[in-house]
């Protein structure tokens, strides 16, 4: 692939809908692979991006599982961990010899399943930073002015089409970074989301709720230290700026911030407990890193999951 042209976005939720929508706005050839329920909502109302003063309405191209017959140049996986296995099966007909696959799921465990199906060279690493949610009518609502995609080759040599992917994604209304060390970038995001997810979910409050209580800041700092220790032991220590960003975010007094995991948890919805915390704890044990607070979070979310049935 000398130049990526056609994009298949797997999922049109808070992440896929936002980035895919921005690419549509920029004139890219984007198709969304969606479930029937989401398809009906998008067909009726359009793909809507709202919040922070924005009211964008787009008419997206949609496709359903079983309707894919031709390969795309880029497949952007934005589903949550629970939907990954089925999404891989659904999208397989769209992955040809020159297709590149860009997943932006949390953690690292999803890479094993994608590589097993599509091959080591075809699967890129990716990090999505965006604060959005799908509201009660199915619109994508922006919560904070943060939007970026970071991606890169996980193996050497880099795939021939990687430069084309960078050109295709750039200039579409969000920041893009072609990273020379995407695995380190993925670890940095994992530390960040695990830190804010652990602090808010275990304490059942926003960052500001926790930081405002005696011992709250010390607790949050200890969570960050555990997460960062796992990354360092795995060979990907966080840069000073990334570590300070994580610490500063989870200790900010008065902050209303809370991740999607917390919002799902308080709404009684399934959460990515194993993808974010279970795998991190398993890696910590394998590397000989003590993570008692993360173990507590994992246990807490497993009890929560068991009560969901």
């Amino acid at each position: 692939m000398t130049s990526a042209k056609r994009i298949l976005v797997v999922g049109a939720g808070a992440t896929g809908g936002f980035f895919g929508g921005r690419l549509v706005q920029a004139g890219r050839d984007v198709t969304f692979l969606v479930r029937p329920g989401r398809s009906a909502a998008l067909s009726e109302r359009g793909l809507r991006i709202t919040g922070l003063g924005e009211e964008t309405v787009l008419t997206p191209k949609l496709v359903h599982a079983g309707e894919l017959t031709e390969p795309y140049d880029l497949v952007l996986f934005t589903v949550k961990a629970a939907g990954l296995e089925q999404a891989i099966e659904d999208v397989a007909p769209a992955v040809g010899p020159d297709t590149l696959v860009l997943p932006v799921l949390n953690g690292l465990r999803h890479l094993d399943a994608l590589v097993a199906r599509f091959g080591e060279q075809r699967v890129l690493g990716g990090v999505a930073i965006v604060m959005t949610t799908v509201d009660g009518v199915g619109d994508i609502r922006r919560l904070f002015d943060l939007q970026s995609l970071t991606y890169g080759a996980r193996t050497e040599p880099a795939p021939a089409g990687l430069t084309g992917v960078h050109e295709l994604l750039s200039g579409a209304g969000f920041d893009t970074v072609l990273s020379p060390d995407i695995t380190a970038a993925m670890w940095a995001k994992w530390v960040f989301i695990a830190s804010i997810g652990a602090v808010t979910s275990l304490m059942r409050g926003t960052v500001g709720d926790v930081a405002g209580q005696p011992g709250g800041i010390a607790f949050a700092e200890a969570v960050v230290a555990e997460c960062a220790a796992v990354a360092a032991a795995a060979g990907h220590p966080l840069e000073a700026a990334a570590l300070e960003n994580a610490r500063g975010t989870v200790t900010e007094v008065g902050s209303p911030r809370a991740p999607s995991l917390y919002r799902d948890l308080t709404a009684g919805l399934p959460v990515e407990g194993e993808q974010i915390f279970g795998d991190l704890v398993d890696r910590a044990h394998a590397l000989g890193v003590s993570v008692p607070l993360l173990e507590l979070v994992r246990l807490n979310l497993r009890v929560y999951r068991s009560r969901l049935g």
Side-chain angles (χ1 to χ4, degrees):
M1 181 174 66
T2 58
S3 166
K5 297 178 181 178
R6 300 175 68 225
I7 304 171
L8 180 66
V9 179
V10 186
T15 300
F18 175 81
F19 287 110
R22 287 289 188 253
L23 289 164
V24 171
Q25 285 181 280
R28 310 302 197 265
D29 185 351
V30 179
T31 301
F32 295 87
L33 174 62
V34 291
R35 300 291 180 204
R38 185 62 172 150
S39 176
L42 292 172
S43 297
E44 179 181 348
R45 290 180 53 81
L47 176 60
R48 295 173 178 251
I49 303 174
T50 67
L52 305 184
E54 179 175 0
E55 290 288 341
T56 297
V57 183
L58 303 167
T59 304
K61 292 197 296 185
L62 307 175
V63 67
H64 303 145
E67 297 177 348
L68 294 169
T69 58
E70 297 179 345
Y72 285 72
D73 297 293
L74 176 67
V75 176
L76 179 62
F77 271 85
T78 68
V79 297
K80 290 196 174 183
L84 178 63
E85 183 177 352
Q86 185 60 54
I88 288 174
E89 294 302 317
D90 293 344
V91 83
V95 179
D98 298 320
T99 303
L100 291 182
V101 175
L102 173 54
V104 292
L105 284 74
N106 291 323
L108 293 174
R109 189 163 63 177
H110 60 280
L111 294 174
D112 293 338
L114 289 164
V115 167
R117 185 59 183 267
F118 301 124
E120 192 74 58
Q121 280 291 107
R122 197 168 288 135
V123 179
L124 304 174
V127 171
I129 303 294
V130 66
M131 293 291 286
T132 51
T133 188
V134 177
D135 66 18
V137 293
D139 296 347
I140 297 162
R141 182 161 53 90
R142 298 171 63 205
L143 303 176
F144 292 92
D145 192 21
L146 292 170
Q147 52 270 320
S148 69
L149 278 182
T150 301
Y151 40 81
R154 300 169 35 258
T155 58
E156 293 293 343
L162 182 57
T163 300
V165 166
H166 184 46
E167 293 172 355
L168 183 67
L169 296 177
S170 297
F174 51 84
D175 296 332
T176 55
V177 178
L178 180 56
S179 173
D181 189 352
I182 190 61
T183 303
M186 293 174 73
W187 268 104
K189 183 190 178 183
W190 197 1
V191 168
F192 182 89
I193 63 172
S195 296
I196 191 171
V199 169
T200 57
S201 65
L202 192 58
M203 294 300 159
R204 296 299 196 272
T206 65
V207 166
D209 292 334
V210 179
Q213 296 301 316
I217 289 177
F219 161 71
E221 289 177 337
V223 168
V224 174
E226 285 191 7
C227 296
V230 183
H236 299 283
L238 267 65
E239 295 182 355
L243 188 57
E244 185 54 37
N245 178 53
R247 286 197 190 109
T249 298
V250 301
T251 60
E252 183 181 354
V253 176
S255 171
R257 290 187 68 170
S260 59
L261 184 144
Y262 171 79
R263 294 193 296 272
D264 290 343
L265 183 69
T266 54
L269 300 173
V271 299
E272 291 188 309
E274 293 305 314
Q275 180 79 4
I276 298 174
F277 299 106
D279 190 29
L280 191 60
V281 170
D282 288 344
R283 291 173 190 255
H285 290 169
L287 294 165
V289 178
S290 176
V291 286
L293 293 175
L294 292 177
E295 289 172 355
L296 187 60
V297 175
R298 179 176 68 171
L299 176 60
N300 182 285
L301 293 181
R302 283 180 173 176
V303 171
Y304 168 79
R305 183 184 64 190
S306 73
R307 292 173 65 87
L308 288 181

